[in-house]
Amino acid sequence: MQPTFLHAQPPAIPKRGRLVVLSALAGFVLTVIWSAPFVDRVIGDTVANSMLGHDAKATPLDGVPAGIAFAFVTGLAGSFTACNIAVFGVVTPLVGDRGAARPRWLDSLRPLWWICVGAVGISAVYGALVAIVGTSMPQFATTASVAGVLSPRQVQSMIVFGLIGVAFVYLGLAALRLVPDPFARIRRRHPAVPLVVMGVLIGALLIGRPFPLFRIMFRHAAESGNVFYGMSAFVLQSLGNLVIAAVVFLVLAHGTGGRVQRWLAARPGRTERITAVAFLVFGTFTLLYWDLRSLGRAGLIWYPAVGW
C-alpha cells in the first residue's frame, strides 16, 4: 500500500490557511481542557489494575515475566494519555489510502505492519540503552518536582515531545502542500517509508514519556541491567500503545461496509484535508501541552488550564 496522504491535490490556499488556523486552535483548546489526573489515574490506572488484577503502582514487579506483562498492559492502559494521544493522528490517512474501494484484510494489515516496524525499531534501541545506562538517565529520577524549577526529567520530556509535535505539524502542513513533502523522492522507490517514519515517531514517545506507570517499568528495566528484557519491555509498551488505534482503523476500514472510504473519496482532497487536520491538531497539542503547559505547571509562565 502506497500512502497517498502527502501527494494529492490540495485545497485552495485560503481554505488551507483556515484549516491550519482552526486546527491549531483546536489543538490549543485541547491543551487547556486536558486533565492529566483524570486520564492517567481514572482511565490509565483503572485499566491497568483491572487487567493485572492488582494495584499496578503498589505491587512491585517480581522478575522479568512480570515486567514484560506489565509493559504491554500499561502500554494499552496509557493509550489515551497526553503522551500517546498523537498516535491517533495516523488513523485517518490509513483509512483513506484505498480511495473508495473497501480494502482487503491483507491490504489493511500491511500499513500497520510497517508502522510497527518503525515503532519496534526505535523502542528496541531505546530499551537496550535504558538497560545499559538507564539509572543515570533523567527519566530514572525519583525526586519530586519543585515549583519554579524544571527537573532534568521534565526537560527531557519537553525536548522529545516538542520535536515530535513539530514533526506532526510539519507533516500536516505538507499534506496541504504549504511546505515541501519530506518523502517526495524516497517514496517513489520505497513507498513504505512514510509509514515507518510514523512508527518511529510513535515509538519515540517512550523517550520522553512521564506517565507514572511507564516510569515504574523504566526504572525496573534500568535496574535489571538486562538488555533483552529492556528491549522486550519497551517494544511491548509501544505495541500496547498502538492496539486501540489499530482497532479503530480496522473497524473504520472493515466494519462500516466501505462507507467511510466512499465518504472520504466522494470529494477530491477530502482525505488530505482530514489528514492535515489530524496531524495539525495532535501536533499542536503535543507541542503546546508538553512545552508551554509544562512551563505553566512549573510556575514559570502563565498558561490557561481548566482544573477538573
Side-chain angles (χ1 to χ4, degrees), residues 46 66 80 84-85 87 98 129 142 189 251 262 265:
T46 300
F80 293 102
N84 194 66
I85 199 68
V87 171
R98 299 299 294 179
L129 181 65
T142 58
R189 296 183 59 186
V251 168
R262 289 193 293 272

Side-chain angles (χ1 to χ4, degrees), residues 70-81 83-88 90-91 115-116 119 123 161 199 201-207 209 211 214 217 233-247:
F70 184 89
F72 181 76
V73 168
T74 55
L76 183 61
S79 295
F80 293 102
T81 59
C83 44
N84 194 66
I85 199 68
V87 171
F88 293 93
V90 305
V91 172
I115 288 174
C116 287
S123 301
F161 284 101
L201 291 174
I202 291 168
L205 295 170
L206 301 187
I207 297 176
R209 194 168 203 185
F211 182 42
F214 167 76
M217 185 202 78
F234 277 66
V235 165
L236 287 172
Q237 175 87 185
S238 262
L239 293 178
N241 291 162
L242 282 164
V243 168
I244 293 180
V247 169

Side-chain angles (χ1 to χ4, degrees), residues 2 4 40 46 79 87 98 106 121 123 128 141 153 179 182 207 214 221 250 260-261 279 285 292 305:
Q2 179 172 337
T4 61
D40 290 1
T46 300
S79 295
V87 171
R98 299 299 294 179
L106 183 60
S123 301
R153 187 174 72 237
V179 296
I207 297 176
F214 167 76
L250 292 174
V260 173
Q261 289 90 340
F279 285 163
F285 169 80
L292 295 187

Side-chain angles (χ1 to χ4, degrees), residues 129-142:
L129 181 65
V130 167
I132 296 170
V133 299
T135 56
S136 60
M137 297 172 73
Q139 276 180 297
F140 187 84
T142 58

Side-chain angles (χ1 to χ4, degrees), residues 190-222:
H190 305 286
V193 166
L195 297 171
V196 175
V197 172
M198 292 294 164
V200 169
L201 291 174
I202 291 168
L205 295 170
L206 301 187
I207 297 176
R209 194 168 203 185
F211 182 42
L213 291 176
F214 167 76
R215 292 185 59 237
I216 292 174
M217 185 202 78
F218 179 98
R219 291 195 294 269
H220 191 254

